[in-house]
Each structure stands twice: as C-alpha cells, then as structure tokens.
C-alpha cells in the first residue's frame, strides 16, 4: 500500500530517523557492553575481594572472656573460686515480630488520639520494646515465684520473693537503650544472677536452685527467652583475707586482645566483646596475668539490623592458671575473728593489723587488716554506696603492708642489739633505772612511776623498761641505732616478686609501703631543718620520734631474731620447695649468751612481764609488747603492739599485731593486741596438731 | 490440547490463589483451620490405635490354652504381689495424711492422674513425639508431665480436643532438672533431649554435673527428677547416667549421656499428671503485653 505521493508509509520518511535508530542502538549496545564488562570485572577479577567484603559485612566475631584461675591457701583450701551465674536473657531478634506488633498497636492508638500530631516514631519503638520485655518479665517472675501458680487456684497463700521492689522487676529504659546502642547483637539480660543468695532474687541456695529449676522446666527450650550461664568471681569466705585476695573489676582489655585470640582469617571481621574482668587489688591484681587465661571466640552471621543470627564456629576460652597462697585459712580466720573483737566505745572494730610468718621460710601464714571489705560486692559491679562506705571506714588500706607506724617498745629489741654489738652494754650488765631519766635538761619518763631499779637485759625486755633504753641508746648513738635498724631491713621494701613472675607487677601485693623512716642526723636536718638532739636519740631508742615502719616489717624482724639472722624475705606465695634462704640475711652478730638473753627476756615478757595476760599454759612463747603514741586529730592516742615467736624453744612461727587506739579507748600492747596473738598461736598449734 | 493447557494453568492459578489466601488470612482463622484439621485427623489416629489393639487381641486369641493358663497364673502371682504393695501404699498414704493433719501441713496431692493409650508414634519422630488418645476434653493441659509408673516419658506439648502430643524425654524440646543417685550434696543437674536419627539410639544429655561428682564405681547412677521445677514430682526416674562423664571445654562442669528408661521404646499406655494449678504452658500462651491476665 502506497500513499498519495507513491511512497511506502512504513518506510522511514526521514534519513535522520534511521540515524537516530542506529544511535539509540549504539547507545544501548554501549550500555550493555558496559554492564557486561562491569559484571565480568566484578565476577572474574574482583570476585575474591568482594566475597571477603561480603563475609566481613555479614559475619561477626564475639569474644568470650575466660574464667579466671582459682586461688588456694597452702593446704589446698579454695579462697577464690568461680561460680555459675544464671541469667535470664531475651533474644531481641526472635522478639522482633512481637516488637513490631506492639509498635503498630501503639502507633494506631497514638494516631487515633492525636490525629494532627506527627508521632515520635523512635519513642514509640522504644516503648513497644519495653512493653514486650516487661510483659515477658512479668511472666518470668510469675513462673519463678513458685507459690503464685498454686495460689491461682487458691490452694496456697501468695508469697512473692520479698527482696525486690516491684520497680526492680521491670526493664530499665536506660539499660535497654544502652544495650541497643552498644551491644544490640547480644541477648538482653532481663534478670542477672537469678540463683545467687542475697542477690535480690534468692535468699538461700535452695531458693536459687528452685528459681533456676522452675525456669528450666517451665520455659520452652527454643523460645525467645533463654537461661544462660556464665562464670563470675566468687569469694566463698566473704571478707576473709580480702586485702590479700583483692577484687576484680570490669575491663575492656579484651578489646586489645581481639587480634591475638581469633584465627587470622577472621581478623578483619567486625568484633564485639563481652565485658571481661581484671584484678583491681590484692593477688587478683598482682597476679592478673597468671589468673586471666585466654579469651575464646564465636563466629556469628548477623542480620542487616545488626543482630547475631546463627553461630557458625566457636573456640572455647581457656581458664587462667591457679595460684597457691602461703596463707593458712584457719590461722587467718582466727586472726580476723580476734581482731573483730577489739572495738571502740561505740562497739565499732578498731583499725588493726595482724601478721603471722613461717620463721624458716618467711611464708606468710596470716595477714589481716581491719576494717575490711567483701570482695563479693565487687565481683560484678560495685555500688557507689558500698565504695563510699568502705572508703569512709578506711577499709581499702592494707594496714599490715601499707600502714606506717611508730614501732614503740618493740623497737627496744633493736636498741638492745645495737648496744650489745657496739659493746656499750653486755647481756648481764645491770643498769639503775629510776622513774625517769634526764636527757638534755628534760626528764624522760618511765611508764612505771616508781621505776624498775636494777635492770638487766632480760628484765628490760620482760617489763619493757624505758630508762634502760634511754641509757643504752645514748651510749650507742643515733647512727648506730639507725644502722642496726637498717641491718634488720626495717626500711627495706618487702614482697618483691622473683623476676620470672608476672611482669605487670613487681610486688606480690599491691603498693607495699616504701616510705619507712629510720631517722638519723641527716634525716632530721633534711626534713625538719634542725640538728639532732639527745632527746631525739632517747625517743628513737624506745621506738618513738620519727621512726615509721609496717607490721609486716616487725614480723620479719622477729622471725629473723628467732633464727639468729638479720633478714627475712616474706612471701605470700606458697612454694613447698622454698629453701629457707633469705636475701641479704647475715648472722645476727651476737654471742650465744647475748642472743640467749635476748630470747629469754622475750620469754619472760610472756611468763611474768607485760604480756603475761596472754600467757598460754603448756605453750611457752616469746614476745615483746609495745604501746606507742601517735597523734589523731591533734590529740595523743595509743598504738598497741605485740611481736613474738612460738614455740619459745624451737621457733616455727613469728607474729606481729598492731591496733590503732582511738582517743576514747584505752589501748595497750599486752592487753589489746595480745589476745589476737594468743588466738593466732592457738590456731597454729591446733592446725599443726591436726597434721 | 489447548483445553488441557488451560486446565493446567487454572490449577496453578488456583494453587497460587489459595497460597496467597492462606498467607493473608487472619491468624485466628489459620489457627482454627489447623485445630480443625487436627480434630478431623483425630478419628483416623484413634482408628490406627484401635486397629493395633485389635491385632494384639487376635494375636492373643491364637495362643494355646496352655500358654494362656500359664500367663494367667503368672499374672495372678503379680497381682497378688501388687495387692500387697497397694495395701502398704494405702497405709502409708493414710499415715501421711494423718501426720500432715497433725502438723497442719498442706496435703501434697497436687496432681490428678489421667491414664491414656498411645494412639500413634511416627517412625520419623520415634524418639521425639507420641500422640495419646486423651485431650482437652479429659482435662489435659499443655505442659503436663507424662509418666509410666515411676519413669518420666515426657511432657504434653500440644493439646487437641481428644488427642494430645507428647514431647519425649529424648526430644530436643524437652528439658528438666534432676538429681544424680549417689550425690550426697544433691547438686541440681540439667537433662535435655537431643535430636537423633529415628533408628539410632535415643539421646539425652545430662549437663552441669559438678566436677566433684564421681559416679559410684561399677554402678549405674539413676537420674531422678528434683521436684523443684514445679512440673515433675520429685523422685521420678528419667533414666541412667552412662559411664564416661566428661569435663566441659572450660573444665568447670561435666556432661554425660542419659540412657532413658527402656519402656520408652515400646510404650503403649501412659499417665498424664494434671496439676491442680495452671501450668507454665498455659501461662506462656497468654499474649505478651497482657500480663495482668494472670496477676
């Protein structure tokens, strides 16, 4: 068919149209070629890189912290353990349909109520999540409170768990928001530590078991609410040896370990770590590297919303190594119980410390400091209230290793040794000791107002005669006194770790005192800008003045005297192969009669002297008491000391007890500190007899 | 030919239509349909069970009179022994009631027992599920424990009008708490079923066994319910703990395998223990967001 012009109407009327068609064809061809080449490039050349990227984006590695190693005493008794913590958790991914349904309900209600207002979608989503989670939580509590179900049919009286306020049984909005922001991939904890007595959910272990059992049996295995177990630190003896054991706190150190623990092929994946724990004080801190173990990991697929979906692979964490301490739980318990009996006029325990050492090895059998704290309170997360309370009581200070005190009359052992070694006095020399002694125009008093008359070395130690020491101290001189004190290591840092141990801490316990003071002429000139006087020498000779040392140093001094040496290296770590050699130790440098007199004087101190109130019939031991003065709030108060060793004839243990007296409390070495020493010795004897 | 093609197309269209319809139907309607199908299926299940009973009847009828006499004599002896036991149990029960009254303790009978025949047990889920011939009309509720004598068989998972589905001890959907025989400390352990092949050995796992627990040498330790969970009465046997308990990867606990009671393989009749209070199954079926319904 042709038109009036004789041309075919279907043929292109214009040559430009054909050109246009070719141009379009070329354009499309170029487009297809571009797509095909691009596809080929991505499929053939970039394939591996894109696969990696895809895997990296769709998978995630979750780091699981390991359990810490246990801590035992020297007899294998567990001092620090790990316990299973049962927590009820919500799988937020599985609850998505419920969240969505609740959100739509809320949205419809909101629109019906305020048709002209734009709803706050974020707030509605948050409210929907809270509503769903709280509904589940209510069901969980209903199931866990065992009597509720029976009560529903009236067969038993309703009794809900009394420990928790109703508001504590609800999901806290801030906690949920924080979880969604930081750990959306992990399950949301609805109830933490369901079974632990006194955690607010259970009162007794039986109630805890019942709560877990009710959940296990009554909730579906594959539901959105699950019961999960993890391990938390447990201190089965509560406050016992808290200053030695220390406590743990949350740690993000795991983040630094991520690249170390996962296999190299997962290194570029997104990583998420559960909060780990690290030692914050005591052995937990100083042996953190040993106790920590190695984290494990889990490889998960994740959804586009960031939730974990399927577990693909995992590697279990490896528990940290155990640590055996030299402590003897029975002696430690006896020391702490005895200390707790020393109270002020308000009935509040006085600040105090007690140490007992093995004379031969230097291993610490007991090391107590009062007031103390319960590390269980810090095992999960310490409350500010508890922290402040311990702080106000001064409970964080380990008085045995960190407290610096004037040693008082216990220093007379050094004065006597210095005098004997300098040949200024001999063991059987007798000095006339009146009620006071004039030094530099000032009368230095005896603590007995009538004086002690004729006093030799043994009697001096038995009655703790001040005037004898003034005389000997002045004869010996301040430099010799200081030299002798230093020879016994009263200003030497203690508890140094052998070099092969944990290199994160150089001491066995955190921050032992390093600022002990053994005064001499140069010291006074330096700190007071004044010259040394005879009065200073007299004060130093009875353990007063500028002298400062710790109870642990005094326990080491007494252990050294018991062995006839000058140094004892204490250790809190139990080593059955310890050879009894002590760094820097040398013979005491006294003749046998002199050393015997020194020891006999300490025995007489217990039998008939200042410590006779704590004599133990049938178990003679040696001791020296001390009552020194210190200033508390500008007024004088007393420090009560007792040091010694037992048994008298074959020393096995050395001890030191210190009590900080208060302004309104009369505190004396034998009377106040003595009973603690006696209880420790009896406990040691009882433990030794059992073996 | 074209008609055939059109007919095939129409079938596909109808299929797609019904699938689409099913997807958009309200959940209540879908639930009703499922329930209706279960009830529709119930007579068939009953028939299968009855047929099996009938086969057993004819099998017994074919026995010789001598065999039947011998069986009857054995049965009479067992009956006599059981009569004695029943008497002593009755005395113990009366004594228990008397003592509870005297001490003003609440009576302990918290379950009503319903006996049910096993209606069907599919080969594909042999160690996971059985269907019994009692249902909602008999008072059975989701979550009720199912026992045979003093042995735990499982628990009710789904209830229909005249039938119920029971998750067996070896089903992955089953778990409960237990005590181990010989454990003086009465540590609570967990028992959970594990999916296994139909013809393989039944599987269940005992976990959270404390490290200090050592099974008595040369003896098989029974695994018994604790009664703490509020579902199973205490002291029922779940099975025995197989030798070869192993520490977990972190060495905190041990796990072991559970051998269920041998009756689990050929169980024909069970008892359903219906608690006098609402079961967790009922509580969990209440809609989320309406907790006040059971408060």
């Amino acid at each position: 068919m042709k038109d009036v012009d004789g041309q075919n109407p279907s043929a292109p009327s214009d040559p430009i149209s054909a050109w246009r068609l070719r141009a379009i064809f070329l354009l499309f061809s170029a487009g297809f070629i571009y797509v095909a080449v691009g596809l080929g490039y991505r499929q053939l050349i970039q394939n591996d890189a894109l696969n990696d990227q895809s895997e990296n984006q769709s998978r995630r590695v979750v780091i699981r912290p390991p359990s810490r190693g246990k801590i035992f005493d020297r007899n294998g008794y567990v001092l620090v353990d790990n316990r299973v913590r049962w927590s009820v958790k919500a799988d937020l991914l599985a609850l998505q349909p419920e969240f969505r349904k609740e959100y739509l309900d809320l949205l419809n209600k909101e629109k019906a109520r305020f048709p002209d207002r734009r709803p706050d979608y974020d707030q509605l989503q948050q409210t929907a999540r809270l509503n769903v989670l709280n509904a589940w939580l209510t069901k969980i509590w209903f199931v866990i409170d065992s009597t509720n179900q029976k009560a529903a049919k009236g067969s038993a009286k309703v009794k809900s768990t009394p420990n928790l306020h109703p508001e504590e049984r609800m999901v806290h909005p801030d906690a949920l928001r924080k979880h969604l922001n930081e750990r959306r991939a992990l399950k949301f904890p609805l109830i933490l530590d369901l079974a632990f007595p006194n955690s607010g959910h259970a009162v007794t272990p039986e109630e805890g078991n019942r709560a877990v059992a009710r959940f296990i049996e009554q909730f579906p295995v594959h539901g959105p609410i699950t019961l999960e177990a993890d391990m938390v630190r447990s201190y089965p003896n509560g406050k016992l040896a808290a200053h030695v054991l220390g406590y743990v706190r949350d740690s993000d150190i795991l983040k630094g370990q991520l690249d170390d623990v996962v296999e190299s092929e997962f290194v570029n994946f997104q990583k998420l770590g559960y909060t780990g724990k690290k030692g914050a004080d005591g052995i937990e801190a100083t042996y953190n590297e040993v106790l920590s173990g190695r984290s494990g990991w889990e490889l998960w697929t994740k959804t586009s919303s960031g939730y974990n979906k399927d577990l693909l692979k995992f590697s279990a964490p490896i528990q940290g190594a155990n640590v055996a301490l030299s402590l003897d739980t029975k002696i430690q318990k006896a020391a702490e119980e005895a200390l707790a009996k020393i109270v002020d006029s308000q009935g509040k325990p006085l600040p105090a410390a007690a140490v007992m050492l093995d004379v031969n090895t230097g291993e610490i059998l007991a090391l107590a400091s009062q007031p103390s704290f319960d590390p269980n309170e810090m095992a999960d997360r310490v409350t500010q209230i508890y922290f402040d309370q311990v702080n106000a009581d001064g409970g964080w200070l380990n008085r045995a290793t960190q407290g610096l005190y004037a040693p008082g009359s216990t220093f007379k052992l050094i004065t006597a040794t210095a005098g004997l070694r300098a040949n200024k006095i001999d063991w059987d020399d007798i000095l006339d000791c009146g009620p006071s002694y004039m030094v530099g125009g000032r009368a230095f008093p005896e603590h007995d107002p009538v004086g002690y008359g004729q006093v030799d070395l043994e009697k001096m130690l038995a009655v703790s005669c001040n005037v004898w020491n003034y005389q000997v101290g002045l004869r010996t001189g301040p430099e010799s006194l200081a030299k002798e004190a230093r020879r016994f290591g009263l200003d030497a840092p203690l508890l140094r770790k052998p070099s092969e141990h944990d290199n994160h801490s150089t001491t066995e316990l955190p921050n032992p005192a390093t600022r002990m003071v053994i005064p001499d002429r140069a010291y006074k000139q330096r700190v007071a800008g004044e010259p040394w006087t005879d009065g200073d020498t007299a004060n130093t000779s009875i353990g007063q003045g500028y002298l400062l040392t710790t109870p642990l140093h005094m326990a080491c001094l007494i252990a050294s005297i018991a062995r006839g040496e000058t140094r004892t290296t204490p250790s809190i770590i139990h080593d059955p192969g310890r050879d009894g050699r002590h760094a820097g130790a040398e013979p005491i440098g006294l003749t046998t009669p002199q050393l015997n007199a020194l020891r006999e004087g300490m025995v007489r101190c217990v039998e008939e002297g200042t410590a006779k109130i704590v004599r133990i019939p049938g178990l003679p031991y040696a001791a020296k008491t001390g009552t020194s003065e210190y200033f508390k709030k500008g007024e004088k108060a007393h420090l009560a000391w007792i040091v010694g060793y037992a048994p008298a004839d074959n020393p096995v243990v050395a001890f030191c007890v210190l009590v900080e007296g208060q302004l309104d409390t009369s505190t004396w070495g034998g009377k106040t500190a003595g009973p603690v020493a006696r209880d420790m010795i009896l406990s040691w004897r009882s433990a030794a007899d059992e073996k | 030919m074209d008609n055939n093609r059109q007919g095939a197309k129409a079938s596909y269209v109808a299929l797609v239509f019904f699938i689409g319809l099913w997807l958009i139907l309200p959940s209540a309607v879908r639930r009703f349909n499922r329930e209706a199908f279960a009830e529709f299926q119930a007579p068939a299940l009953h028939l299968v069970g009855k047929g099996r009973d009938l086969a057993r009847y004819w099998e017994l009828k074919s026995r010789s009179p001598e065999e039947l006499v011998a069986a009857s004599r054995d049965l009479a002896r067992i009956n006599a022994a059981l009569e004695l036991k029943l008497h002593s149990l009755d005395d113990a029960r009366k004594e228990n009631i008397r003592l509870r009254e005297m001490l003003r303790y609440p009576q302990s009978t918290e379950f009503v027992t319903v006996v049910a025949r096993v209606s069907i047990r599919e080969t594909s889920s042999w160690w996971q599920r059985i269907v019994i011939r009692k249902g909602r009309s008999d008072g059975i509720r989701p979550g009720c424990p199912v026992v045979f004598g003093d042995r735990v068989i499982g628990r009710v998972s789904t209830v229909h009008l005249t039938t119920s589905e029971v998750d067996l001890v070896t089903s992955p959907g089953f778990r409960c708490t237990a005590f181990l025989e010989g454990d003086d400390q009465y540590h609570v352990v967990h028992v959970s079923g594990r999916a296994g092949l139909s013809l393989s050995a039944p599987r269940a796992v005992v976990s959270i066994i404390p490290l200090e627990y050592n099974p008595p040498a040369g003896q098989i330790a029974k695994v018994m319910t604790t009664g703490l969970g509020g579902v199973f009465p205490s002291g029922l046997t779940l099975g025995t703990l197989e030798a070869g308990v192993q520490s977990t990867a972190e060495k905190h606990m041990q796990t072991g395998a559970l051998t269920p009671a041998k009756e689990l393989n050929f169980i024909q009749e069970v008892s359903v223990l219906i608690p006098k209070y609402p079961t967790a199954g009922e509580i969990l079926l209440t809609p989320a967001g309406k907790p006040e319904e059971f408060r």
Side-chain angles (χ1 to χ4, degrees):
Chain A
M1 199 168 87
K2 290 182 180 178
D3 63 9
V4 287
D5 298 328
Q7 289 178 329
N8 188 345
S10 61
S13 57
D14 188 350
I16 295 171
S17 300
W19 179 83
R20 274 186 186 154
L21 277 176
R22 273 196 293 275
I24 290 166
F25 173 76
L26 283 174
L27 195 65
F28 272 87
S29 299
F32 277 118
I33 289 167
Y34 176 78
V35 170
V37 168
L39 190 66
Y41 178 72
R42 298 222 181 258
Q43 285 293 328
L44 301 175
I45 296 169
Q46 286 190 311
N47 185 38
D48 290 345
L50 290 174
N51 270 343
D52 286 349
Q53 195 181 341
S54 157
E55 284 195 351
N56 291 355
Q57 284 174 354
S58 62
R59 296 182 187 189
R60 168 188 286 132
V61 175
V62 176
I63 304 294
R64 285 230 171 238
S67 297
R68 293 171 69 80
K70 295 181 184 181
I71 302 177
F72 298 94
D73 81 345
R74 65 189 301 111
N75 301 313
Y77 185 82
V78 178
L79 294 171
V80 184
D81 203 348
N82 299 299
R83 66 176 174 84
V84 177
R85 174 174 66 176
W86 293 103
S87 302
V88 179
K89 295 188 177 176
D91 183 346
L92 299 180
L93 178 62
L95 286 171
Q96 283 294 314
E98 288 186 38
F99 291 154
R100 182 80 189 153
K101 186 171 176 296
E102 180 68 11
Y103 168 72
L104 292 176
D105 283 352
L106 289 175
L107 186 64
N108 289 336
K109 281 180 196 162
E110 184 78 0
K111 280 182 176 170
R113 214 167 139 205
F114 305 107
D116 302 329
R117 204 165 72 185
R118 185 178 178 276
D120 182 343
Y121 298 107
D122 287 344
Q123 183 56 44
L124 284 177
Q125 276 190 337
Q126 173 76 352
T127 310
R129 289 190 194 107
L130 279 173
N131 287 353
V132 171
L133 290 174
N134 279 327
W136 274 105
L137 203 49
T138 314
K139 286 182 182 181
I140 295 163
W141 282 118
F142 187 83
V143 168
I144 287 172
D145 290 350
S146 56
T147 48
N148 279 350
Q149 289 177 28
K150 296 175 189 175
K153 292 274 176 171
S155 62
K157 196 177 167 188
V158 175
K159 187 193 84 179
S160 61
T161 310
N163 309 45
L164 285 181
H165 190 271
E167 280 183 16
E168 292 179 81
R169 292 187 164 201
M170 306 294 275
V171 175
H172 199 283
D174 291 342
L176 179 61
R177 196 173 290 117
K178 190 166 186 276
H179 182 88
L180 287 168
N181 288 339
E182 296 174 8
R183 286 161 193 256
R184 171 184 292 255
L186 308 180
K187 291 180 181 174
F188 177 71
L190 289 171
I191 305 173
L192 271 179
D193 224 350
L194 182 63
F196 188 56
N198 301 320
S199 61
H201 313 129
V203 177
T204 61
E206 290 73 29
E207 278 188 32
N209 278 338
R210 190 178 293 277
V212 171
R214 294 192 72 80
F215 188 96
I216 287 280
E217 292 191 10
Q218 308 215 21
F219 271 77
V221 179
H222 303 298
I225 308 296
T226 55
L227 190 68
E228 293 197 356
D230 62 353
M231 305 303 290
V232 289
R233 216 52 170 154
S234 164
Y235 302 84
N237 303 295
K239 289 183 172 183
L240 188 81
H243 288 96
V244 174
L245 303 176
Y247 58 93
V248 290
R249 68 166 177 234
D250 286 352
S251 163
D252 285 333
I253 199 164
L254 286 173
K255 285 182 182 166
Q257 293 180 343
L258 293 182
D259 291 345
D260 300 335
V261 297
V262 298
E263 289 178 10
S264 57
E265 58 184 298
F266 309 141
V267 163
N268 293 325
F269 288 8
Q270 186 201 2
K271 301 179 193 81
L272 187 66
Y274 282 88
T275 304
K277 295 283 179 186
K278 74 171 183 180
D281 195 8
I283 290 290
E284 293 274 27
T286 54
Y287 283 81
N288 186 53
E289 290 290 302
V290 179
L291 294 163
S292 284
R294 185 180 161 85
S295 299
W297 53 265
E298 294 167 350
L299 180 64
W300 288 84
T301 58
K302 61 177 183 181
T303 65
S304 56
S305 328
Y307 296 102
N308 280 353
K309 193 163 183 283
D310 297 314
L311 178 62
L312 301 175
K313 211 171 174 186
F314 77 97
S315 165
I318 298 169
Q319 187 178 11
N322 299 332
V323 172
L325 299 186
S326 59
L327 293 182
D328 185 309
T329 303
K330 284 185 180 169
I331 303 174
Q332 180 75 25
K333 203 174 274 183
E336 294 194 12
E337 285 172 0
L339 285 178
K341 290 177 193 163
I342 306 172
V343 292
D344 64 11
S345 55
Q346 311 293 317
K348 194 176 167 189
L350 290 180
V355 181
M356 181 172 267
L357 299 177
D358 183 309
V359 163
N360 294 309
T361 62
E363 289 195 350
I364 298 169
L365 303 175
L367 192 145
S369 179
Q370 182 175 276
S372 187
F373 56 88
D374 185 351
N376 286 308
E377 296 282 344
M378 269 81 73
D380 194 25
R381 201 157 289 172
V382 63
T383 62
Q384 191 63 42
I385 295 171
Y386 189 75
F387 184 89
D388 292 344
Q389 184 189 323
V390 175
N391 207 32
D393 292 344
W396 299 120
L397 180 71
N398 184 348
R399 288 174 162 73
T401 61
Q402 298 172 323
L404 287 169
Y405 306 95
S409 296
T410 57
F411 190 77
K412 289 171 182 169
L413 292 163
I414 296 285
T415 306
T417 307
L420 292 167
R421 278 175 35 85
N423 294 320
K424 303 297 179 189
I425 188 89
D426 207 352
W427 68 275
D428 53 354
D429 286 352
I430 292 172
L431 300 180
D432 189 28
C433 300
S436 64
Y437 191 75
M438 292 300 290
V439 181
R442 181 185 149 204
F444 277 70
E446 183 56 78
H447 54 78
D448 186 328
V450 293
Y452 289 106
Q454 304 293 298
V455 176
D456 63 2
L457 174 61
E458 285 185 20
K459 186 176 177 185
M460 179 279 285
L461 290 169
V463 300
S464 196
C465 177
N466 283 348
V467 172
W468 189 97
N469 282 279
Y470 299 144
Q471 296 180 57
V472 173
L474 288 167
R475 284 186 204 177
T476 309
E479 300 304 330
S480 292
L481 285 178
K483 190 177 167 192
E484 200 62 33
R486 289 192 190 107
R487 204 165 73 94
F488 279 95
L490 286 193
D491 63 346
L494 296 179
L495 295 170
R496 295 271 174 199
K497 267 186 192 173
S499 56
E500 69 267 22
H501 279 138
D502 190 341
N503 56 10
H504 283 247
S505 170
T506 55
T507 54
E508 291 184 354
L509 287 175
N511 309 314
T514 54
R515 305 180 77 173
M516 290 68 67
V517 176
I518 294 178
D520 54 15
R521 294 180 198 281
Y523 175 82
K524 188 178 178 190
Q525 191 64 46
R526 191 170 67 247
V527 299
E530 292 174 7
W532 187 269
T533 64
D534 283 349
D536 292 325
T537 308
N539 270 333
T540 305
S541 69
I542 59 164
Q544 294 278 171
Y546 296 103
L547 267 170
L548 285 176
T549 193
T550 71
L552 181 60
H553 280 88
M554 295 310 290
C556 289
L557 162 71
I558 213 74
S560 302
I561 291 174
R563 285 197 321 277
E565 291 184 330
T566 56
R567 290 286 178 102
T568 296
T569 307
S571 178
I572 197 73
I573 302 298
H574 182 47
D575 178 1
R578 209 179 283 276
D579 58 9
R581 282 185 294 181
H582 299 270
E586 56 185 60
I588 195 165
L590 299 176
T591 64
T592 305
Q594 287 172 338
L595 187 56
N596 286 345
L598 198 69
R599 289 171 172 167
E600 186 55 30
M602 290 170 69
V603 174
R604 282 178 59 186
C605 173
V606 177
E607 295 298 317
E608 61 192 59
T610 52
K612 69 180 174 191
I613 193 171
V614 286
R615 184 172 165 269
I616 302 173
L619 177 55
Y621 65 97
K624 178 73 195 82
T625 61
T627 306
S628 59
E629 291 175 344
Y630 78 111
F631 284 92
K632 189 174 178 68
K633 295 175 187 168
E635 289 186 51
K636 275 185 185 176
H638 286 140
L639 295 172
W641 288 89
I642 186 167
V643 296
Y645 60 81
D649 54 347
N650 179 27
V652 177
V653 289
F655 57 84
C656 170
V657 180
L658 162 94
V659 180
E660 286 181 31
Q662 303 298 302
L663 299 175
D664 60 348
T665 315
S666 88
T667 316
W668 303 100
K671 185 182 134 198
T672 312
V676 181
R678 181 190 55 203
D679 286 3
M680 284 201 292
I681 294 168
L682 287 173
S683 173
W684 160 75
R685 170 40 67 91
S686 156
D689 288 348
E690 279 176 21
K691 287 175 187 167
Chain B
M1 190 73 173
D2 282 350
N3 284 344
N4 283 345
R5 274 187 188 165
Q6 276 177 358
K9 269 185 189 169
S11 309
Y12 284 123
V13 169
L15 181 66
V16 170
F17 172 75
F18 281 114
I19 289 173
L21 186 66
W22 179 255
L23 289 175
I24 59 167
L25 273 177
S27 61
V29 177
R30 280 191 280 174
R31 195 164 56 241
F32 172 79
N33 274 339
R34 269 198 293 267
E35 285 289 317
F37 180 73
E39 299 311 335
F40 171 76
Q41 203 187 15
L45 298 181
H46 272 278
L47 270 180
V48 172
K50 296 274 185 197
R52 201 171 49 242
D53 288 351
L54 193 64
R56 175 78 179 146
Y57 172 78
W58 284 111
E59 191 253 326
L60 288 174
K61 284 277 280 183
S62 66
R63 300 283 176 94
S64 70
E66 289 77 15
E67 279 179 307
L68 292 175
V69 168
S72 165
R73 193 179 54 225
D74 292 346
L75 200 60
R77 282 179 188 153
I78 292 168
N79 271 340
L82 288 175
E83 284 277 343
L84 268 177
K85 270 193 182 174
L86 206 61
H87 267 293
S88 63
L89 277 176
D90 199 37
D91 287 346
R93 186 160 42 239
K94 282 175 184 164
E95 180 68 5
N96 186 297
I97 291 168
R98 192 180 68 79
L99 289 173
R100 280 174 183 274
E101 279 172 358
M102 203 167 78
L103 297 169
R104 296 182 181 175
Y105 256 52
Q107 297 301 326
S108 67
T109 324
E110 293 170 347
F111 295 96
V112 175
T113 307
V114 171
V115 178
R117 294 282 293 171
V118 175
S119 161
I120 197 160
R121 186 171 184 179
E122 289 177 11
T123 317
S124 59
S125 55
W126 189 259
W127 293 118
Q128 295 185 23
R129 183 162 289 202
I130 56 173
V131 180
I132 57 173
R133 273 191 222 158
K134 294 277 170 70
R136 201 181 307 122
S137 58
D138 305 289
I140 292 177
R141 306 201 298 268
C144 289
V146 180
V147 300
F148 176 78
D150 66 345
R151 276 139 293 179
V152 176
I153 298 300
R155 61 190 292 182
V156 175
S157 59
T158 313
V159 181
H160 307 294
L161 188 63
T162 55
T163 58
S164 302
E165 293 170 29
V166 177
D167 274 347
L168 299 178
V169 171
T170 45
S171 159
F174 179 91
R175 68 178 175 187
C176 76
T177 54
F179 291 135
L180 297 175
E181 191 180 36
D183 178 11
D184 299 336
Q185 302 293 312
Y186 292 97
H187 289 106
V188 177
V189 299
H190 298 176
V191 174
S192 46
R194 287 283 183 274
L197 297 174
S198 297
L199 298 176
S200 66
R203 295 175 68 195
V205 172
V206 184
S207 54
I208 324 288
I209 304 172
L211 290 176
E212 58 265 31
Y213 174 76
N214 287 312
Q219 289 181 28
I220 298 167
K222 260 204 234 177
V223 183
M224 293 166 294
T225 53
T226 60
L228 294 172
V231 173
F232 297 96
S234 62
L236 297 176
T237 306
L238 285 153
T240 52
L241 184 66
E242 286 180 17
V245 175
Q246 291 183 332
S247 293
T248 54
E250 274 217 81
K251 316 277 185 217
H252 293 312
M253 298 284 172
Q254 302 182 96
T255 55
L258 178 101
T259 305
K262 61 177 188 277
E263 288 83 0
L264 200 65
N265 199 13
F266 50 81
I267 190 81
Q268 292 295 322
E269 200 157 71
V270 295
S271 301
V272 183
L273 305 179
I274 304 172
K276 289 181 176 172
Y277 47 82
T279 62
E282 290 169 288
I283 292 163
L284 296 176
L285 282 175
T286 58
K290 303 262 194 285
E292 64 277 8
E293 284 186 10
F294 49 84
R295 266 287 166 212

